[in-house]
Structure formats: structure tokens, C-alpha cells
Amino acid sequence: MLAPVWSTACTDWEARIVERRSLIPFPPLFADEAERALEIFKGLRIVDVPGQPTFGEACDRFVFDFVAAIFGAYDAGNARQLINEFLLLISKKNAKSTIAAGIMVTALVLNWRHANALLVLAPTKEIANNVFTPAVGMVRADPELVLLLKPIEHLRTIKHLGNNAELKVIAADSEVLGGTKAGFVLVEELWLFGKNPKAAAMLMEATGGLVSRPEGFVVFLSTHSDEAPRGVFKEKLDLYRGIRDGTIVDPRKIGMLYECPPAMVESQGYRDPANFYVTNPNIGRSVDPEWIAEKLVEASRGDEGALQIFLAKHLNIEIGTRLSRDRWTGAEFWDAAADMTLVSVAELIRRSEVIVAGVDGGGLDDLLGLCLIGREKGSKRWLVWCHAWAWSIVWMRRNDIATKLNELIAEGSLTRCELPDNALAIDPAGGDEEQDDDLTEDIRGVVEVLVQVRDAGLFPERDAIGLDPVGVTALVDELSTREFTGEQMTAIMQGFKLSSAVKGSARKLAARTMRHGGTKLMQWCVGNAKMEPRGASAVAIVKSAPGAKIDPLAAMFNAVMLMTRNPEASDAGGGVDDFIAAMKAA
């Protein structure tokens, strides 16, 4: 028998999802194995639904397509799973946890390995119970399964009495995964793992058993996150979107991603009740369209943050820079204004006739943001380059954004500064002045960049560096020691006094006369910002949540205030040509 050949790409997914066709682009690799599993799965009863129907009676076709893809990828002749990793991304209330229970009970029944371990990994006890409870119900409602499988409720375990295999449901927030050798793994609510900085190591530990169990598989289930995706969730989301779109070739992974096509997101067509089915394939069964319509109207009247969460959970709309009603008006045009060639200060210097800088933030538990804006030679477009610094204590105090910060470090747009070991120690002698030098790494990083621009002769003689007047003493001192003049530093009034920069930069982004490097750092900061009215026509940019970070964006507005003064380069220093020559020599 010839080995099957397949591709897990689904490049026509936009048409398929609107036409309610399967998102699995090929039939099961091994039809007999798929039918064998479906016979078991369809016979399992959903005990918390009136009448206790079976999966076969209560579920939409998408569920059976997913189950058939999983179990139909098993090559029984070689005891090997040919497709061994799966993702189902779907809106809330589409029976995801119940489907998870059914998949793993089916796997437990079909498992042939003696004393094998099957694992459901959930982020919390509550979510773990959401899977374990229906799994136990399925066993006890079936007269044949109750003789084959034994639930052990206090351990959240179901044991196979024939081969001693065990299905365990573990809550990651309270139990240890060390030593786990599971052959089949299901990870529930992956988006919550994305918020956990230890999740990558945790998932590696949980799935490590597949190295010696080639018949095994891993299934990830998730709704969209209640904030911009990050961590392991963002990594998997990007991976499976790439596989679906054909930009990443990986025949051993496949996903069913119930997302609205980009055009529908852009037009907000997802708000039309006629389109609710797109991300809710179980609509009319476990999902009530009238309830979604009613709650969507209520959420639209209330807090914008609550509306975004509702859209993410019930219509599977990813939270990003474009959803918030009170977002900065420039957010809508931000992504389209990206110029991916603006990757370095050297590139900005090469293309600019004059450059100004803005700085904001800098607390130990905050970011220190730096923005350079250059006026491009010839075109006169504004070119934006941004970077940020963060002290290691931010990872300690803001564990919820640690995975995002790590992502930005990997991108190169954020620098981590290590807090000295003695910084939190009590000094009984009263103060060690030398310690202050240990807490200027971020300041020195900013100044080193500014020195590059100055030495290239691109700063104006006056008003070159715009500073938030609060908490800039250390930066001013460092700049003074590097021979920057007082005339080059200027305080930029904050709040509503930045209105002209906030509104003007949005207009320039829309016209694409302001371009930026398209970094994840700035995309994140733009998504964290909201615009509040001040008086009759003024506005202020503030954080969308108390813990959000927007310092590099605020630094950009400081720089915008200076660039609107139409500065001219001083030409003091070696000049651009000398700078480029020095860079090439280095």
C-alpha cells in the first residue's frame, strides 16, 4: 500500500468558512481508523444536555471532521500517528470542553499501550473540572464503558481496567507535571497559557512523552484571548495560521481556526447576526444566536473593554489595535503605515535630513521609551524608529505581561536591564552613592543612541530632544555629561497639551506621510492606548488599563511636537557621510 500524500494547508479557508464547508481540506488519511473512532465518539452521551443525547445526535458536522482528522491520521500498520498536532480555535459555548472530554475518552478506549498515560492539561481547576465532569458522565451513562473504565473522582482520573492506562485531568495552576510521560495530550484554553511565562516549559514537559510514543497526538483547544494574543498562544496562533495559509509547510500539524475573513473584520460584518455562524459552527445547537445578538447590543452600550472581550469570546475576533471605539484615531492606520526597512538607527540616519527625539517613562517598574523621527530626504515623509528599556523588576511585578516583554526582547525592540543584586537590600550604613551608577543602564542606553544621531550632525541646534518634564533629572544629567546643550533639550507638556501631536500624527499615518518600522513593540503600545476628550476639542492619550504600557508611544508624541516646528539639522559633528563610513568600517 502506498503511503498517503497530503497537505495541511487550507488556502481557500475564507470561502469555505462562509459557505459552511469543512476546514479540513482532505479526507481522513486512514478511513477505517476514522470510522472506528467516530463509532465510539458518536455513541458517547452528553449528560448535561436535556435528554442526554449522544454526540452523533447533538453535534454539527465540524466536530466529526475534527475527530476524524485526529484519529484518521493513525497508521495502524506502523503504529504511528502521521499528523500528531492539532488546534481548534473556536468561539465560546461551541461545546469545546465537552468535545475535549469526548476526544480523550475515545482515545482511552482505543489505546493499546499497557499503563499508558493520557493527559488533559487545563490552566485552572475550574477549567479542568469542565472537562473531567462531562468525561465521567459519558462513562457512567454507557453500560459498556462503565464496565471498561473506572472514574476516580478525587484524583480527576479515569482508569482503563483492561490495560491500566489512565486519563488524568490536571490543573496547571496547582499540580506538578514533572515526570509525566503521556502518550496523548489535550491542552484546554491555550489562550490562558499564553499569559503564563512558564507555559512553554510546562507544555514541553507535558508533551515530552510523545518522543517514545509515536502513536500519540497533541490537541490544543482555545477561544481567542481577552487581550492581544501573546506567549505560547501567540506562537501557536501564528504557526497554525501560517500552515492554514500555506506560508508554512508542516504536514504533521493541522488546525481548524474559526475566524472571520479579514474583509469581514475590516467591515465589522461580524456584528451582523446573519454572520454569527462563521465563528460559531454549533449555532442553533449549543449556541443561541438570539442570546448573542442581545448581549452584543448590551455590550456595545457599555464599557469598551467589556465589548472587546465579548467579541473575542463569542465572535472570536482577535483583540488588537483596531477594535476599541475610544482607541487613538491613528490606530486604524498604524499597520498600513509600516515600512519594514526601518529596522535600525543607522538606516534612519542614512535616509534622513534632520532627526528629533522624544523620551518618556523610565520608572523602575515601567518602560523607558525612546522615539526618533527623521524627515526623509526628498519625500519629506516622517520616519519613526522606537525602542524601549525595562528593568528586570518589571518581570517580577507584572507577571501578566512577562511573555509579551520576552517576545519584544526577541524582536530586538526592547532591552532588559538587570537590577543589581543589592538593589533591594537594606543598607544599615545609610546610602551608597556608587549604587546609583548601577541604575542608569537604561539612561545610558538612550544616550548612546542620541549620541549617534548628534555625531551624524542631524539634530537641530535647538529643541532636538523632547522630554516629559516629570522624572527626567537623571537623563538630563547624563546628557549634560555627553556635551548636549540645554538648548537641545526641551520639556514637552503632557496631557491635553499634546492634542496637536495626537491628532496630527493620526492624519499623517492615514496619508502615509508618516512611516514606522512595524515593530511588535509599537503595535502593542498602540493597542494599549485610548483617547479621552479634554474640553471642547482637546484630547489626551491614556492607558487603556492601569497596568498597560504606552511609554514608547508617548515618546513618539513628544518627538512629533518637535518635528512640527520644521527643524533644520545643525550639521555639528561628523556628518551623515562620515557616520555611514564609520558604520561600514565597524
Side-chain angles (χ1 to χ4, degrees), residues 331-358:
E332 182 177 355
F333 311 105
W334 184 262
D335 292 343
D339 177 350
M340 308 306 288
T341 64
L342 286 170
V343 295
S344 67
V345 177
E347 176 65 13
L348 181 69
I349 289 174
R350 186 188 68 80
R351 293 170 59 177
S352 299
E353 63 185 18
V354 65
I355 292 176
V356 294

PDB file of all heavy atoms in Angstrom, residues 331-358:
ATOM      1  N   ALA A 331      -4.663  54.545  15.334  1.00  0.00           N
ATOM      2  CA  ALA A 331      -4.519  53.091  15.426  1.00  0.00           C
ATOM      3  C   ALA A 331      -5.061  52.391  14.196  1.00  0.00           C
ATOM      4  O   ALA A 331      -4.516  51.380  13.738  1.00  0.00           O
ATOM      5  CB  ALA A 331      -5.227  52.579  16.684  1.00  0.00           C
ATOM      6  N   GLU A 332      -6.139  52.921  13.632  1.00  0.00           N
ATOM      7  CA  GLU A 332      -6.760  52.301  12.469  1.00  0.00           C
ATOM      8  C   GLU A 332      -5.814  52.259  11.270  1.00  0.00           C
ATOM      9  O   GLU A 332      -5.899  51.378  10.418  1.00  0.00           O
ATOM     10  CB  GLU A 332      -8.036  53.071  12.114  1.00  0.00           C
ATOM     11  CG  GLU A 332      -8.808  52.493  10.946  1.00  0.00           C
ATOM     12  CD  GLU A 332     -10.099  53.251  10.683  1.00  0.00           C
ATOM     13  OE1 GLU A 332     -10.427  54.165  11.474  1.00  0.00           O
ATOM     14  OE2 GLU A 332     -10.776  52.928   9.686  1.00  0.00           O
ATOM     15  N   PHE A 333      -4.889  53.230  11.197  1.00  0.00           N
ATOM     16  CA  PHE A 333      -3.994  53.337  10.042  1.00  0.00           C
ATOM     17  C   PHE A 333      -2.575  52.873  10.351  1.00  0.00           C
ATOM     18  O   PHE A 333      -1.702  52.921   9.479  1.00  0.00           O
ATOM     19  CB  PHE A 333      -3.947  54.803   9.576  1.00  0.00           C
ATOM     20  CG  PHE A 333      -5.310  55.418   9.406  1.00  0.00           C
ATOM     21  CD1 PHE A 333      -5.796  56.325  10.341  1.00  0.00           C
ATOM     22  CD2 PHE A 333      -6.120  55.062   8.347  1.00  0.00           C
ATOM     23  CE1 PHE A 333      -7.059  56.883  10.204  1.00  0.00           C
ATOM     24  CE2 PHE A 333      -7.388  55.617   8.191  1.00  0.00           C
ATOM     25  CZ  PHE A 333      -7.854  56.534   9.126  1.00  0.00           C
ATOM     26  N   TRP A 334      -2.351  52.431  11.592  1.00  0.00           N
ATOM     27  CA  TRP A 334      -0.990  52.124  12.027  1.00  0.00           C
ATOM     28  C   TRP A 334      -0.353  51.003  11.212  1.00  0.00           C
ATOM     29  O   TRP A 334       0.756  51.147  10.683  1.00  0.00           O
ATOM     30  CB  TRP A 334      -0.987  51.776  13.516  1.00  0.00           C
ATOM     31  CG  TRP A 334       0.393  51.542  14.049  1.00  0.00           C
ATOM     32  CD1 TRP A 334       1.008  50.335  14.238  1.00  0.00           C
ATOM     33  CD2 TRP A 334       1.344  52.540  14.434  1.00  0.00           C
ATOM     34  NE1 TRP A 334       2.285  50.524  14.717  1.00  0.00           N
ATOM     35  CE2 TRP A 334       2.517  51.867  14.842  1.00  0.00           C
ATOM     36  CE3 TRP A 334       1.316  53.925  14.463  1.00  0.00           C
ATOM     37  CZ2 TRP A 334       3.645  52.542  15.282  1.00  0.00           C
ATOM     38  CZ3 TRP A 334       2.444  54.608  14.897  1.00  0.00           C
ATOM     39  CH2 TRP A 334       3.585  53.922  15.304  1.00  0.00           C
ATOM     40  N   ASP A 335      -1.034  49.871  11.112  1.00  0.00           N
ATOM     41  CA  ASP A 335      -0.445  48.716  10.437  1.00  0.00           C
ATOM     42  C   ASP A 335      -0.117  49.016   8.977  1.00  0.00           C
ATOM     43  O   ASP A 335       0.917  48.585   8.451  1.00  0.00           O
ATOM     44  CB  ASP A 335      -1.385  47.518  10.527  1.00  0.00           C
ATOM     45  CG  ASP A 335      -1.530  46.994  11.949  1.00  0.00           C
ATOM     46  OD1 ASP A 335      -0.674  47.335  12.788  1.00  0.00           O
ATOM     47  OD2 ASP A 335      -2.500  46.273  12.225  1.00  0.00           O
ATOM     48  N   ALA A 336      -0.997  49.757   8.298  1.00  0.00           N
ATOM     49  CA  ALA A 336      -0.801  50.041   6.871  1.00  0.00           C
ATOM     50  C   ALA A 336       0.363  50.996   6.628  1.00  0.00           C
ATOM     51  O   ALA A 336       0.859  51.091   5.500  1.00  0.00           O
ATOM     52  CB  ALA A 336      -2.083  50.612   6.271  1.00  0.00           C
ATOM     53  N   ALA A 337       0.802  51.714   7.666  1.00  0.00           N
ATOM     54  CA  ALA A 337       1.886  52.689   7.503  1.00  0.00           C
ATOM     55  C   ALA A 337       3.259  52.099   7.816  1.00  0.00           C
ATOM     56  O   ALA A 337       4.241  52.829   7.904  1.00  0.00           O
ATOM     57  CB  ALA A 337       1.634  53.905   8.388  1.00  0.00           C
ATOM     58  N   ALA A 338       3.329  50.790   7.968  1.00  0.00           N
ATOM     59  CA  ALA A 338       4.605  50.154   8.317  1.00  0.00           C
ATOM     60  C   ALA A 338       5.568  50.158   7.129  1.00  0.00           C
ATOM     61  O   ALA A 338       5.173  49.965   5.980  1.00  0.00           O
ATOM     62  CB  ALA A 338       4.373  48.722   8.786  1.00  0.00           C
ATOM     63  N   ASP A 339       6.834  50.399   7.442  1.00  0.00           N
ATOM     64  CA  ASP A 339       7.936  50.295   6.479  1.00  0.00           C
ATOM     65  C   ASP A 339       8.971  49.401   7.137  1.00  0.00           C
ATOM     66  O   ASP A 339       9.752  49.844   7.976  1.00  0.00           O
ATOM     67  CB  ASP A 339       8.507  51.687   6.176  1.00  0.00           C
ATOM     68  CG  ASP A 339       9.710  51.635   5.218  1.00  0.00           C
ATOM     69  OD1 ASP A 339      10.213  50.523   4.952  1.00  0.00           O
ATOM     70  OD2 ASP A 339      10.156  52.695   4.763  1.00  0.00           O
ATOM     71  N   MET A 340       8.982  48.142   6.752  1.00  0.00           N
ATOM     72  CA  MET A 340       9.789  47.147   7.453  1.00  0.00           C
ATOM     73  C   MET A 340      11.282  47.333   7.252  1.00  0.00           C
ATOM     74  O   MET A 340      12.086  46.636   7.868  1.00  0.00           O
ATOM     75  CB  MET A 340       9.375  45.737   7.018  1.00  0.00           C
ATOM     76  CG  MET A 340       7.878  45.465   7.124  1.00  0.00           C
ATOM     77  SD  MET A 340       7.166  45.810   8.763  1.00  0.00           S
ATOM     78  CE  MET A 340       7.846  44.457   9.707  1.00  0.00           C
ATOM     79  N   THR A 341      11.673  48.291   6.397  1.00  0.00           N
ATOM     80  CA  THR A 341      13.103  48.548   6.213  1.00  0.00           C
ATOM     81  C   THR A 341      13.658  49.469   7.298  1.00  0.00           C
ATOM     82  O   THR A 341      14.873  49.633   7.408  1.00  0.00           O
ATOM     83  CB  THR A 341      13.381  49.177   4.835  1.00  0.00           C
ATOM     84  OG1 THR A 341      12.753  50.470   4.769  1.00  0.00           O
ATOM     85  CG2 THR A 341      12.827  48.298   3.715  1.00  0.00           C
ATOM     86  N   LEU A 342      12.784  50.074   8.092  1.00  0.00           N
ATOM     87  CA  LEU A 342      13.235  50.976   9.161  1.00  0.00           C
ATOM     88  C   LEU A 342      13.604  50.162  10.398  1.00  0.00           C
ATOM     89  O   LEU A 342      12.977  50.253  11.452  1.00  0.00           O
ATOM     90  CB  LEU A 342      12.138  51.990   9.503  1.00  0.00           C
ATOM     91  CG  LEU A 342      11.922  53.114   8.496  1.00  0.00           C
ATOM     92  CD1 LEU A 342      10.657  53.897   8.824  1.00  0.00           C
ATOM     93  CD2 LEU A 342      13.130  54.056   8.505  1.00  0.00           C
ATOM     94  N   VAL A 343      14.641  49.374  10.267  1.00  0.00           N
ATOM     95  CA  VAL A 343      14.974  48.422  11.312  1.00  0.00           C
ATOM     96  C   VAL A 343      16.080  48.900  12.238  1.00  0.00           C
ATOM     97  O   VAL A 343      16.336  48.281  13.264  1.00  0.00           O
ATOM     98  CB  VAL A 343      15.383  47.066  10.694  1.00  0.00           C
ATOM     99  CG1 VAL A 343      14.210  46.440   9.966  1.00  0.00           C
ATOM    100  CG2 VAL A 343      16.563  47.250   9.737  1.00  0.00           C
ATOM    101  N   SER A 344      16.753  49.997  11.901  1.00  0.00           N
ATOM    102  CA  SER A 344      17.901  50.398  12.708  1.00  0.00           C
ATOM    103  C   SER A 344      18.062  51.911  12.719  1.00  0.00           C
ATOM    104  O   SER A 344      17.539  52.623  11.855  1.00  0.00           O
ATOM    105  CB  SER A 344      19.185  49.758  12.162  1.00  0.00           C
ATOM    106  OG  SER A 344      19.486  50.284  10.876  1.00  0.00           O
ATOM    107  N   VAL A 345      18.804  52.382  13.708  1.00  0.00           N
ATOM    108  CA  VAL A 345      19.143  53.801  13.770  1.00  0.00           C
ATOM    109  C   VAL A 345      19.989  54.187  12.557  1.00  0.00           C
ATOM    110  O   VAL A 345      19.819  55.276  11.987  1.00  0.00           O
ATOM    111  CB  VAL A 345      19.909  54.107  15.077  1.00  0.00           C
ATOM    112  CG1 VAL A 345      20.340  55.566  15.123  1.00  0.00           C
ATOM    113  CG2 VAL A 345      19.047  53.773  16.290  1.00  0.00           C
ATOM    114  N   ALA A 346      20.871  53.300  12.154  1.00  0.00           N
ATOM    115  CA  ALA A 346      21.733  53.585  11.003  1.00  0.00           C
ATOM    116  C   ALA A 346      20.909  53.824   9.748  1.00  0.00           C
ATOM    117  O   ALA A 346      21.204  54.730   8.952  1.00  0.00           O
ATOM    118  CB  ALA A 346      22.713  52.431  10.790  1.00  0.00           C
ATOM    119  N   GLU A 347      19.867  53.026   9.554  1.00  0.00           N
ATOM    120  CA  GLU A 347      19.019  53.198   8.383  1.00  0.00           C
ATOM    121  C   GLU A 347      18.260  54.515   8.452  1.00  0.00           C
ATOM    122  O   GLU A 347      18.107  55.222   7.435  1.00  0.00           O
ATOM    123  CB  GLU A 347      18.035  52.025   8.271  1.00  0.00           C
ATOM    124  CG  GLU A 347      17.031  52.127   7.137  1.00  0.00           C
ATOM    125  CD  GLU A 347      17.661  52.080   5.750  1.00  0.00           C
ATOM    126  OE1 GLU A 347      18.861  51.730   5.648  1.00  0.00           O
ATOM    127  OE2 GLU A 347      16.960  52.402   4.766  1.00  0.00           O
ATOM    128  N   LEU A 348      17.788  54.871   9.644  1.00  0.00           N
ATOM    129  CA  LEU A 348      17.091  56.143   9.820  1.00  0.00           C
ATOM    130  C   LEU A 348      18.027  57.312   9.509  1.00  0.00           C
ATOM    131  O   LEU A 348      17.650  58.258   8.809  1.00  0.00           O
ATOM    132  CB  LEU A 348      16.559  56.255  11.245  1.00  0.00           C
ATOM    133  CG  LEU A 348      15.782  57.530  11.571  1.00  0.00           C
ATOM    134  CD1 LEU A 348      14.455  57.563  10.835  1.00  0.00           C
ATOM    135  CD2 LEU A 348      15.562  57.665  13.083  1.00  0.00           C
ATOM    136  N   ILE A 349      19.245  57.246  10.011  1.00  0.00           N
ATOM    137  CA  ILE A 349      20.233  58.309   9.754  1.00  0.00           C
ATOM    138  C   ILE A 349      20.542  58.407   8.262  1.00  0.00           C
ATOM    139  O   ILE A 349      20.633  59.511   7.700  1.00  0.00           O
ATOM    140  CB  ILE A 349      21.512  58.045  10.571  1.00  0.00           C
ATOM    141  CG1 ILE A 349      21.240  58.299  12.068  1.00  0.00           C
ATOM    142  CG2 ILE A 349      22.677  58.900  10.077  1.00  0.00           C
ATOM    143  CD1 ILE A 349      22.390  57.934  12.975  1.00  0.00           C
ATOM    144  N   ARG A 350      20.669  57.283   7.612  1.00  0.00           N
ATOM    145  CA  ARG A 350      21.001  57.289   6.176  1.00  0.00           C
ATOM    146  C   ARG A 350      19.926  57.987   5.350  1.00  0.00           C
ATOM    147  O   ARG A 350      20.232  58.693   4.384  1.00  0.00           O
ATOM    148  CB  ARG A 350      21.180  55.850   5.689  1.00  0.00           C
ATOM    149  CG  ARG A 350      21.664  55.735   4.246  1.00  0.00           C
ATOM    150  CD  ARG A 350      21.643  54.290   3.770  1.00  0.00           C
ATOM    151  NE  ARG A 350      20.283  53.779   3.634  1.00  0.00           N
ATOM    152  CZ  ARG A 350      19.491  54.030   2.595  1.00  0.00           C
ATOM    153  NH1 ARG A 350      19.908  54.810   1.604  1.00  0.00           N
ATOM    154  NH2 ARG A 350      18.278  53.505   2.536  1.00  0.00           N
ATOM    155  N   ARG A 351      18.672  57.835   5.750  1.00  0.00           N
ATOM    156  CA  ARG A 351      17.571  58.331   4.927  1.00  0.00           C
ATOM    157  C   ARG A 351      17.089  59.730   5.323  1.00  0.00           C
ATOM    158  O   ARG A 351      16.246  60.303   4.634  1.00  0.00           O
ATOM    159  CB  ARG A 351      16.395  57.345   5.010  1.00  0.00           C
ATOM    160  CG  ARG A 351      16.683  56.008   4.363  1.00  0.00           C
ATOM    161  CD  ARG A 351      15.629  54.965   4.648  1.00  0.00           C
ATOM    162  NE  ARG A 351      14.300  55.364   4.189  1.00  0.00           N
ATOM    163  CZ  ARG A 351      13.220  54.577   4.279  1.00  0.00           C
ATOM    164  NH1 ARG A 351      13.350  53.367   4.816  1.00  0.00           N
ATOM    165  NH2 ARG A 351      12.049  54.997   3.856  1.00  0.00           N
ATOM    166  N   SER A 352      17.591  60.268   6.447  1.00  0.00           N
ATOM    167  CA  SER A 352      17.011  61.496   6.995  1.00  0.00           C
ATOM    168  C   SER A 352      17.886  62.722   6.753  1.00  0.00           C
ATOM    169  O   SER A 352      19.125  62.637   6.728  1.00  0.00           O
ATOM    170  CB  SER A 352      16.788  61.337   8.498  1.00  0.00           C
ATOM    171  OG  SER A 352      15.893  60.275   8.776  1.00  0.00           O
ATOM    172  N   GLU A 353      17.222  63.882   6.626  1.00  0.00           N
ATOM    173  CA  GLU A 353      17.930  65.159   6.536  1.00  0.00           C
ATOM    174  C   GLU A 353      17.987  65.861   7.883  1.00  0.00           C
ATOM    175  O   GLU A 353      18.825  66.736   8.103  1.00  0.00           O
ATOM    176  CB  GLU A 353      17.260  66.054   5.502  1.00  0.00           C
ATOM    177  CG  GLU A 353      15.821  66.450   5.835  1.00  0.00           C
ATOM    178  CD  GLU A 353      15.160  67.249   4.719  1.00  0.00           C
ATOM    179  OE1 GLU A 353      15.688  67.201   3.583  1.00  0.00           O
ATOM    180  OE2 GLU A 353      14.133  67.903   4.984  1.00  0.00           O
ATOM    181  N   VAL A 354      17.089  65.500   8.801  1.00  0.00           N
ATOM    182  CA  VAL A 354      17.092  66.017  10.162  1.00  0.00           C
ATOM    183  C   VAL A 354      16.353  65.016  11.033  1.00  0.00           C
ATOM    184  O   VAL A 354      15.446  64.318  10.551  1.00  0.00           O
ATOM    185  CB  VAL A 354      16.426  67.415  10.247  1.00  0.00           C
ATOM    186  CG1 VAL A 354      14.943  67.339   9.897  1.00  0.00           C
ATOM    187  CG2 VAL A 354      16.606  68.028  11.633  1.00  0.00           C
ATOM    188  N   ILE A 355      16.734  64.928  12.311  1.00  0.00           N
ATOM    189  CA  ILE A 355      16.111  63.981  13.243  1.00  0.00           C
ATOM    190  C   ILE A 355      15.838  64.691  14.558  1.00  0.00           C
ATOM    191  O   ILE A 355      16.663  65.487  15.032  1.00  0.00           O
ATOM    192  CB  ILE A 355      17.013  62.748  13.484  1.00  0.00           C
ATOM    193  CG1 ILE A 355      17.126  61.901  12.207  1.00  0.00           C
ATOM    194  CG2 ILE A 355      16.480  61.886  14.627  1.00  0.00           C
ATOM    195  CD1 ILE A 355      18.078  60.725  12.327  1.00  0.00           C
ATOM    196  N   VAL A 356      14.682  64.399  15.171  1.00  0.00           N
ATOM    197  CA  VAL A 356      14.382  64.834  16.528  1.00  0.00           C
ATOM    198  C   VAL A 356      14.051  63.594  17.358  1.00  0.00           C
ATOM    199  O   VAL A 356      13.757  62.527  16.814  1.00  0.00           O
ATOM    200  CB  VAL A 356      13.207  65.827  16.572  1.00  0.00           C
ATOM    201  CG1 VAL A 356      13.569  67.127  15.892  1.00  0.00           C
ATOM    202  CG2 VAL A 356      11.949  65.215  15.950  1.00  0.00           C
ATOM    203  N   ALA A 357      14.112  63.752  18.679  1.00  0.00           N
ATOM    204  CA  ALA A 357      13.905  62.621  19.581  1.00  0.00           C
ATOM    205  C   ALA A 357      12.862  62.955  20.628  1.00  0.00           C
ATOM    206  O   ALA A 357      12.693  64.117  21.020  1.00  0.00           O
ATOM    207  CB  ALA A 357      15.219  62.232  20.256  1.00  0.00           C
ATOM    208  N   GLY A 358      12.167  61.917  21.104  1.00  0.00           N
ATOM    209  CA  GLY A 358      11.246  62.036  22.228  1.00  0.00           C
ATOM    210  C   GLY A 358      11.543  60.938  23.222  1.00  0.00           C
ATOM    211  O   GLY A 358      11.884  59.811  22.833  1.00  0.00           O
TER     212      GLY A 358
END
